Amino acid sequence: MRACRRQPVPHTPVWYMRQAGRSLPEYLKVREGVPMLTACATPELIVEITMQPVRRYGVDAAIYFSDIVVPLKAIGIDLDIKPGIGPVVADPIRDAKGLAALRPLEPDDVPFVTESIRALTGELGGTPLIGFAGAPFTLGSYLIEGGPSKNHDRTKAMMYGAPELWHDLMERLSGIVLEHLRVQVAAGASAVQLFDSWVGAVAPADYREFILPHTRRIFEGLTDVPRIHFGVGTGELLGLLGEAGADVVGVDWRVPLDEAARRVGPGKALQGNLDPAVLLAPWEVVERKAREVLRQGRAAEGHVFNLGHGVLPSTDPDQLKRLTDLVHEHSA
């Protein structure tokens, strides 16, 4: 929390995106036979999975176990998470009529969120819990494309060709996302992270026109906790991600943190940014690369050590444990 607020810290804090997930044998065990969206709506599973990496690695923060499409499912969108594919939407939204399906989210739509976060804050003690949600562009892309997309061609076609429809969609989604994050904060989340996973597909001028106003609305509605913003392939957008209102800008592995600090400018902390694939290399490589990230991170006003994207499923959990210890000891 201090690093997010750019205050002095005893050591660089560390957590990992997708730390509660597919690389952990204990995760695979409790998820066996349980569909992803069922797990994301079952408080006892949410609590157990969120706690697993805190117990195993000694990380400085937990991140709430969920999926970015949970609030869409909660308002009645017909979707499922297909193993090996990702979110698949039965009726993609491609016209004004389709927008009618996007009603506002109410706290009563996600009672399992409140229940599990209250239980988690009791178990975590002094360890902060990060709430999270998907950002409007990324959620919109799934809704428009009907599933994962390489080029986001239908999404961009709406953005460029039907701007009024696009902004209406973004407006509705930003309201849903903001309410979902507010529910998490009200239940006890200490910070929030907004994932705009696929926004790196957009040019800076288009981000400013079509996306920034809606992201800013979300961050402006959450002023009482540190706000982290992250996207993949966003090297050209780093300054804009901060401009949207984040306190902490997440950086993927493509841009060194000292250069990221220059692009983002003053008044922001940075999060990142070890390449997740480095963890598949021998330990001496991991150690060298991690020290490099810590050195470059000193250019930022605050630094939260993380990976440049999520933990890969084939990662050895022991590597993450050693990495956590290294970050704590080397930065102390």
Side-chain angles (χ1 to χ4, degrees), residues 163-183:
E164 284 188 19
L165 181 63
W166 172 264
H167 283 294
D168 193 353
L169 173 62
M170 292 294 103
E171 184 80 14
R172 289 172 189 241
L173 286 172
S174 61
I176 290 164
V177 170
L178 175 56
E179 185 57 34
H180 191 225
L181 288 171
R182 279 177 170 161
V183 167

Side-chain angles (χ1 to χ4, degrees), residues 72-90:
L72 300 180
K73 182 76 172 177
I75 62 167
I77 299 295
D78 186 356
L79 59 81
D80 196 13
I81 298 175
K82 306 276 188 188
I85 300 172
V88 176
V89 179

Side-chain angles (χ1 to χ4, degrees), residues 196-259:
D196 213 345
S197 307
W198 310 135
V199 80
V202 174
D206 293 328
Y207 182 94
R208 185 176 291 283
E209 180 180 353
F210 293 109
I211 297 158
L212 189 142
H214 306 287
T215 308
R216 181 177 278 152
R217 175 191 172 196
I218 294 167
F219 286 133
E220 285 179 348
L222 296 162
T223 54
D224 45 355
V225 294
R227 300 154 297 181
I228 311 166
H229 197 13
F230 173 76
V232 183
T234 51
E236 298 299 322
L237 304 176
L238 288 173
L240 287 163
L241 295 187
E243 202 178 309
D247 303 293
V248 185
V249 175
V251 185
D252 77 5
W253 67 92
R254 295 170 176 87
V255 180
L257 287 180
D258 46 3
E259 171 59 16

Side-chain angles (χ1 to χ4, degrees), residues 15-301:
W15 69 277
Y16 307 110
M17 288 183 279
R18 226 178 270 146
Q19 64 185 12
R22 297 169 294 177
S23 64
L24 284 174
E26 55 265 45
Y27 168 80
L28 297 173
K29 188 176 177 185
V30 298
R31 270 291 316 281
E32 200 172 346
V34 183
M36 180 64 174
L37 287 172
T38 302
C40 292
T42 308
E44 52 270 31
L45 274 179
I46 294 168
V47 172
E48 169 59 22
I49 293 167
T50 301
M51 290 300 300
Q52 285 174 349
V54 180
R55 296 188 201 115
R56 185 186 268 258
Y57 303 136
V59 285
D60 296 289
I63 184 159
Y64 179 70
F65 172 73
S66 187
D67 189 90
I68 62 170
V69 299
V70 163
L72 300 180
K73 182 76 172 177
I75 62 167
I77 299 295
D78 186 356
L79 59 81
D80 196 13
I81 298 175
K82 306 276 188 188
I85 300 172
V88 176
V89 179
D91 300 303
I93 294 175
R94 293 172 186 163
D95 53 30
K97 188 179 167 191
L99 287 180
L102 288 174
R103 67 165 176 83
L105 180 81
E106 305 288 342
D108 289 346
D109 294 322
V110 285
F112 51 88
V113 172
T114 301
E115 184 183 334
S116 49
I117 288 181
R118 284 180 177 159
L120 274 166
T121 51
E123 279 209 39
L124 284 163
T127 302
L129 176 68
I130 303 166
F132 90 89
F137 176 85
T138 294
L139 291 178
S141 174
Y142 284 120
L143 287 172
I144 296 164
E145 305 287 344
S149 170
K150 197 171 182 180
N151 300 313
H152 310 280
D153 38 3
R154 289 182 182 273
T155 306
K156 288 185 173 184
M158 182 190 291
M159 189 174 81
Y160 293 133
E164 284 188 19
L165 181 63
W166 172 264
H167 283 294
D168 193 353
L169 173 62
M170 292 294 103
E171 184 80 14
R172 289 172 189 241
L173 286 172
S174 61
I176 290 164
V177 170
L178 175 56
E179 185 57 34
H180 191 225
L181 288 171
R182 279 177 170 161
V183 167
Q184 294 176 57
V185 172
S190 305
V192 294
Q193 174 154 319
L194 189 66
F195 284 84
D196 213 345
S197 307
W198 310 135
V199 80
V202 174
D206 293 328
Y207 182 94
R208 185 176 291 283
E209 180 180 353
F210 293 109
I211 297 158
L212 189 142
H214 306 287
T215 308
R216 181 177 278 152
R217 175 191 172 196
I218 294 167
F219 286 133
E220 285 179 348
L222 296 162
T223 54
D224 45 355
V225 294
R227 300 154 297 181
I228 311 166
H229 197 13
F230 173 76
V232 183
T234 51
E236 298 299 322
L237 304 176
L238 288 173
L240 287 163
L241 295 187
E243 202 178 309
D247 303 293
V248 185
V249 175
V251 185
D252 77 5
W253 67 92
R254 295 170 176 87
V255 180
L257 287 180
D258 46 3
E259 171 59 16
R262 189 191 67 76
R263 294 186 190 186
V264 171
K268 307 287 178 186
L270 297 184
Q271 177 176 281
N273 71 336
L274 185 72
D275 187 336
V278 167
L279 287 160
L280 308 181
W283 170 249
E284 55 270 23
V285 179
V286 178
E287 183 174 13
R288 176 169 54 82
K289 292 283 195 181
R291 287 172 183 265
E292 205 172 276
V293 169
L294 286 167
R295 180 179 56 76
Q296 292 164 346
R298 293 192 196 112
E301 293 178 25

